[in-house]
Amino acid sequence: MAPSRIENLRFRSELLRHVRQFFYDKHFCEVQTPILSADTIVDCHIEPLTVAQHLPLNHHGTRNYYLQTSPEFAMKRLLTEGMSPIFQITPVFRAGDRGPFHNVEFTMLEWYRLDDDYQAGMQLLAELVRFLFNAMPAHLPEIECQTYRHVFESNIGINPHTATIAELQAFCDSRQIAYPDRRERPETSPGANWGDSLDDWLDLLFSEVVQPTLESAIVYDYPFSQPHLATIRQDGGDAVSERFELFLNGLEIASGYHELRDAAELRLRFRANGDRRLAEGRSALPIESRLLQAMERGFPQCSGTALGIDRLLMMMLNAERIDDVLAFPIETA
């Protein structure tokens, strides 16, 4: 291991110490929730690692457990029990994610605080990042909070909330931005092909055109068609998802929500994601979960945020690959 890599790991240790100091000073409680669970987030684009586990006693045979892609489900269950504010630093896993900014196993910092609204969630994220850059120390340009519509229109000239697929495809063609072929869709597999969804085009243009311009920004008010686990609100004539994401040097570092409280709506979103996964040939994931059961008993208002520790380290150290801030990446783990 190169001496520079060892220095990066020492830097990592110091960063984690400051993370804990920030949250302890704000009277957060550090929690540990299971890495292996029968529940998992049902997402169209995130693939969990599956572990077949034999259960003794009154259970028969084996069942699938999942290495967690986020501690979100378990932490929200703690919120329903009245535990707040809470934070966690934990390894998480996403199958198939490997590249300069991805490792199958990585470290996530996640936190929740009851009674925080949308603005409070964004303010706490910005405050944490400023604190960490000052403590290390490292250079951080002033964080700007900008709506998704503003950054999209500024770079592309199209309102993302009223855009059509034809408009976005025409923009790609005019800029020679490559996109997957839109093959004829099999009748037995509706929605299986890339490009059938407006969000396919929005995500492509955001990542290719908008994201590289975001030096230090929190982007918020995403299109309502991209709600994930956030609430939806009307903003003038637009319906928006109360999601926010932090970008540094064009790289997504953190994402947060004004959390959805309606268990029935969340179940519908999981089913829609599950249907799309099957249409795209991905594995089925369990729609029902202990989180939904807990939410049916009542879920409090809160804001929650997840931050990638490894990517934050990359920005602080000007590292080109995530490998430079890990003890052992997947190939040597």
Side-chain angles (χ1 to χ4, degrees):
M1 189 180 291
S4 61
R5 183 106 158 266
I6 290 180
E7 285 306 306
N8 287 352
L9 296 181
R10 296 185 188 280
F11 190 96
R12 181 189 186 97
S13 174
E14 187 72 2
L15 174 67
L16 294 177
R17 184 175 70 83
H18 286 298
V19 167
R20 288 187 164 94
Q21 177 188 339
F22 176 86
F23 284 107
Y24 290 155
D25 287 348
K26 292 186 176 297
H27 309 291
F28 276 67
C29 180
E30 184 171 7
V31 297
Q32 288 182 303
T33 57
I35 294 173
L36 189 65
S37 173
D39 296 335
T40 188
I41 294 172
V42 184
D43 190 284
C44 297
H45 308 294
I46 297 176
E47 200 67 41
L49 286 169
T50 305
V51 178
Q53 176 67 39
H54 178 74
L55 297 175
L57 302 177
N58 59 331
H59 298 280
H60 301 283
T62 60
R63 66 173 298 177
N64 285 339
Y65 274 63
Y66 302 92
L67 291 173
Q68 295 302 284
T69 60
S70 161
E72 182 168 2
F73 274 25
M75 293 183 76
K76 285 182 174 177
R77 288 169 61 191
L78 290 177
L79 293 175
T80 64
E81 300 292 339
M83 193 170 188
S84 171
I86 54 176
F87 81 99
Q88 181 167 192
I89 302 170
T90 182
V92 292
F93 305 82
R94 298 185 181 181
D97 275 7
R98 187 65 178 114
F101 308 116
H102 298 87
N103 191 57
V104 173
E105 178 183 350
F106 59 102
T107 301
M108 183 175 287
L109 162 66
E110 193 153 331
W111 67 90
Y112 296 85
R113 187 165 60 183
L114 295 185
D115 299 324
D116 272 7
D117 61 12
Y118 196 29
Q119 294 298 324
M122 287 189 280
Q123 289 169 7
L124 185 59
L125 170 60
E127 185 181 350
L128 167 68
V129 174
R130 293 190 192 102
F131 172 84
L132 294 177
F133 271 81
N134 288 333
M136 290 312 291
H139 174 66
L140 175 70
E142 182 62 29
I143 298 174
E144 298 181 357
C145 292
Q146 303 179 77
T147 65
Y148 185 102
R149 176 177 176 175
H150 174 77
V151 297
F152 201 93
E153 282 187 328
S154 297
N155 288 278
I156 295 172
I158 300 173
N159 181 346
H161 301 301
T162 60
T164 66
I165 288 176
E167 288 177 313
L168 299 178
Q169 184 172 359
F171 182 90
C172 288
D173 291 336
S174 70
R175 297 293 183 89
Q176 297 183 320
I177 298 171
Y179 52 84
D181 291 335
R182 300 186 67 198
R183 298 182 301 276
E184 188 67 28
R185 184 173 65 210
E187 290 185 5
T188 56
S189 187
N193 293 323
W194 189 95
D196 292 331
S197 165
L198 179 66
D199 288 324
D200 290 338
W201 297 93
L202 291 174
D203 288 344
L204 172 67
L205 287 173
F206 189 89
S207 62
E208 293 292 325
V209 180
V210 179
Q211 197 167 319
T213 70
L214 302 175
E215 182 182 9
S216 179
I218 293 177
V219 178
Y220 65 98
D221 281 1
Y222 276 65
F224 81 96
S225 57
Q226 303 176 19
H228 293 208
L229 278 68
T231 59
I232 302 293
R233 81 167 196 281
Q234 287 296 133
D235 183 40
D238 300 325
V240 296
S241 170
E242 292 195 323
R243 290 174 50 197
F244 53 91
E245 294 188 330
L246 169 70
F247 295 90
L248 298 178
N249 292 334
L251 184 65
E252 181 195 341
I253 303 297
S255 64
Y257 311 136
H258 187 198
E259 300 292 346
L260 178 67
R261 301 172 60 190
D262 186 336
E265 171 62 22
L266 186 56
R267 183 177 282 106
L268 289 175
R269 293 184 191 179
F270 286 161
R271 285 176 179 161
N273 287 346
D275 290 344
R276 182 169 179 182
R277 287 180 60 87
L278 294 177
E280 294 176 352
R282 294 174 179 264
S283 61
L285 296 176
I287 303 302
E288 294 299 321
S289 67
R290 293 182 177 89
L291 171 61
L292 287 171
Q293 294 170 8
M295 288 180 65
E296 286 170 345
R297 297 191 295 271
F299 190 72
Q301 174 176 289
C302 66
S303 179
T305 305
L307 182 148
I309 289 291
D310 312 289
R311 287 187 174 187
L312 182 62
L313 280 163
M314 290 179 65
M315 296 299 100
M316 288 180 163
L317 294 167
N318 295 315
E320 295 184 357
R321 293 183 58 84
I322 195 171
D323 301 37
D324 296 332
V325 299
L326 301 176
F328 301 106
I330 189 63
E331 290 81 6
T332 57

